[in-house]
């Protein structure tokens, strides 16, 4: 079975600084998708970024980028120029090619942004 | 924008009650999901459905059942609520295959007393 691990229950960053959230996963599949979701205090889960395993290039969305290391099964999220609105719970998630959107989530990392 | 609507944000039920959590999506998505969120455990899949009247067990189906009579609606049923089912429940939907984004509702906080 696939597992996703986020080893940092809590992280904090100063406004305008950069922070990296870690995620590792375990799978025997070669084709899969990885996601980072953000859950602010309102509880609405929002997709931050997505990475296809067959793509070597790391995904980027504005201030958010990933470091995808397929061999190491690592998928970290970097947030640059952190803003107060980035404060949220962040979940890493895995979806294999054949599972039809059935995501497996990590435990979550609570990010605090200090002014 | 995709809209996934969960009918109840906050519920308090008594042990042994039958509980219905309703979810509706407005984008004609094939897939619908029910997750449970608990601190330190992330989101765990209870049940999912790929089509009307079709359902499959997720990772923690015990104590739950589901119903999908119409494509846009997916209901989670707790036949006899217990205190260990106190949790946040999240409904989600997506188009057919794995590459597609999953969209979530705002969640339903259920407290069983």
């Amino acid at each position: 079975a696939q597992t996703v691990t986020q080893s940092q229950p809590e992280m904090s960053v100063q406004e305008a600084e950069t922070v990296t959230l870690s995620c590792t996963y375990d799978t025997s599949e070669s084709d899969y998708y990885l996601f980072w979701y953000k859950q602010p205090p309102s509880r609405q889960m929002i997709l931050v970024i997505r990475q296809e395993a067959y793509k070597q290039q790391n995904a980027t969305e504005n201030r958010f980028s990933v470091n995808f290391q397929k061999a190491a099964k690592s998928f970290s999220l970097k947030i640059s120029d952190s803003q107060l609105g980035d404060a949220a719970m962040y979940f890493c998630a895995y979806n294999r090619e054949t599972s039809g959107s059935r995501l497996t989530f990590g435990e979550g990392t609570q990010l605090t942004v200090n002014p | 924008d995709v809209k996934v609507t969960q009918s109840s944000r906050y519920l308090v039920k008594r042990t042994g009650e039958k509980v219905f959590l309703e979810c509706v999506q407005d984008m004609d998505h094939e897939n619908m999901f029910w997750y449970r969120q608990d601190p330190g455990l992330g989101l765990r899949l209870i049940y999912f459905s790929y089509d009307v009247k079709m359902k499959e067990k997720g990772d923690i189906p015990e104590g739950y059942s589901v119903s999908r009579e119409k494509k846009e609606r997916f209901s989670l049923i707790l036949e006899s609520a217990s205190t260990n089912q106190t949790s946040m429940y999240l409904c989600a939907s997506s188009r057919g295959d794995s590459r597609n984004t999953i969209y979530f509702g705002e969640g339903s906080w259920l407290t069983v007393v």
Side-chain angles (χ1 to χ4, degrees):
Chain A
Q2 290 79 24
T3 58
V4 178
T5 302
Q6 294 177 248
S7 58
Q8 307 154 316
E10 297 177 345
M11 291 282 286
S12 63
V13 62
Q14 291 297 126
E15 198 175 2
E17 297 293 310
T18 296
V19 64
T20 299
L21 308 184
S22 301
C23 173
T24 59
Y25 57 95
D26 185 25
T27 183
S28 57
E29 305 283 335
S30 58
D31 294 323
Y32 50 87
Y33 303 89
L34 296 164
F35 305 83
W36 279 98
Y37 276 87
K38 170 186 177 181
Q39 187 181 47
S42 67
R43 291 289 173 175
Q44 180 74 58
M45 293 275 280
I46 303 164
L47 177 67
V48 175
I49 201 163
R50 173 174 57 196
Q51 175 79 42
E52 290 88 346
Y54 64 86
K55 288 186 178 180
Q56 292 186 334
Q57 187 173 4
N58 290 324
T60 300
E61 288 287 344
N62 301 314
R63 296 182 296 107
F64 298 88
S65 61
V66 299
N67 183 5
F68 173 48
Q69 301 289 331
K70 191 172 184 179
K73 296 179 183 176
S74 171
F75 183 60
S76 61
L77 175 70
K78 185 172 82 171
I79 306 174
S80 303
D81 186 25
S82 297
Q83 301 176 359
L84 295 176
D86 295 333
M89 180 73 84
Y90 286 82
F91 290 98
C92 178
Y94 164 97
N95 192 10
R96 64 181 183 178
E97 176 70 30
T98 56
S99 73
S101 300
R102 178 178 171 170
L103 290 177
T104 299
F105 284 86
E107 304 90 337
T109 297
Q110 182 68 51
L111 177 66
T112 301
V113 180
N114 300 309
Chain B
D1 282 351
V2 174
K3 188 75 172 177
V4 179
T5 304
Q6 295 182 231
S7 56
S8 302
R9 290 298 306 276
Y10 302 95
L11 305 93
V12 179
K13 298 292 182 181
R14 295 194 179 278
T15 301
E17 275 194 78
K18 190 170 185 176
V19 181
F20 291 87
L21 299 179
E22 306 286 346
C23 175
V24 176
Q25 50 94 3
D26 66 357
M27 284 300 291
D28 200 36
H29 284 170
E30 293 83 3
N31 302 329
M32 295 190 75
F33 309 84
W34 275 106
Y35 286 88
R36 170 176 172 161
Q37 182 178 357
D38 299 287
L41 297 177
L43 280 71
R44 294 177 291 167
L45 183 64
I46 305 171
Y47 266 97
F48 59 105
S49 170
Y50 291 139
D51 202 349
V52 175
K53 296 190 185 296
M54 295 184 68
K55 60 185 179 184
E56 291 193 32
K57 293 180 180 179
D59 300 316
I60 51 165
E62 296 77 18
Y64 303 95
S65 63
V66 291
S67 172
R68 193 166 181 200
E69 296 296 318
K70 294 184 178 181
K71 191 174 185 180
E72 67 270 19
R73 186 180 297 270
F74 193 36
S75 302
L76 180 68
I77 304 158
L78 287 68
E79 294 289 342
S80 179
S82 62
T83 55
N84 63 12
Q85 292 178 310
T86 291
S87 187
M88 162 78 118
Y89 291 88
L90 288 166
C91 176
S93 72
S94 74
R95 291 214 177 276
D97 61 50
S98 301
R99 71 198 66 192
N100 291 304
T101 301
I102 293 182
Y103 296 89
F104 286 85
E106 293 181 315
S108 298
W109 282 101
L110 172 65
T111 301
V112 182
V113 298

